């Protein structure tokens, strides 16, 4: 996606921390999320971070 190509490493980290981690935190303050959902969200965040880092070289 375009985010991975246009953002620096620091920019991707900020994106992950502000958006990808904030939304589940808000949802978990209202609902109990299943462990499978939490694992899937963590997996997507890791995949985004590591896949876009490998394209920088």
């Amino acid at each position: 996606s375009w985010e991975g190509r246009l953002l620096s490493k620091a920019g991707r980290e900020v994106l992950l921390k502000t958006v990808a981690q904030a939304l589940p935190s808000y949802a978990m303050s209202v609902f109990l999320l299943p462990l499978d959902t939490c694992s899937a969200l963590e997996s997507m965040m890791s995949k985004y971070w590591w896949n876009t880092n490998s394209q920088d070289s």
Side-chain angles (χ1 to χ4, degrees), residues 11-24:
R12 284 191 298 264
E13 181 179 2
V14 169
L15 180 69
L16 280 174
K17 287 183 177 180
T18 58
V19 177
Q21 291 177 351
L23 291 174

Side-chain angles (χ1 to χ4, degrees), residues 18-34:
T18 58
V19 177
Q21 291 177 351
L23 291 174
S25 296
Y26 174 75
M28 288 186 286
S29 71
V30 179
F31 306 106
L32 290 174
L33 295 179

Side-chain angles (χ1 to χ4, degrees), residues 17-51:
K17 287 183 177 180
T18 58
V19 177
Q21 291 177 351
L23 291 174
S25 296
Y26 174 75
M28 288 186 286
S29 71
V30 179
F31 306 106
L32 290 174
L33 295 179
L35 288 177
D36 292 340
T37 303
C38 294
S39 296
L41 289 170
E42 186 176 336
S43 173
M44 285 187 275
M45 287 188 285
S46 296
K47 183 185 260 187
Y48 174 76
W49 175 252
W50 291 110
N51 283 343

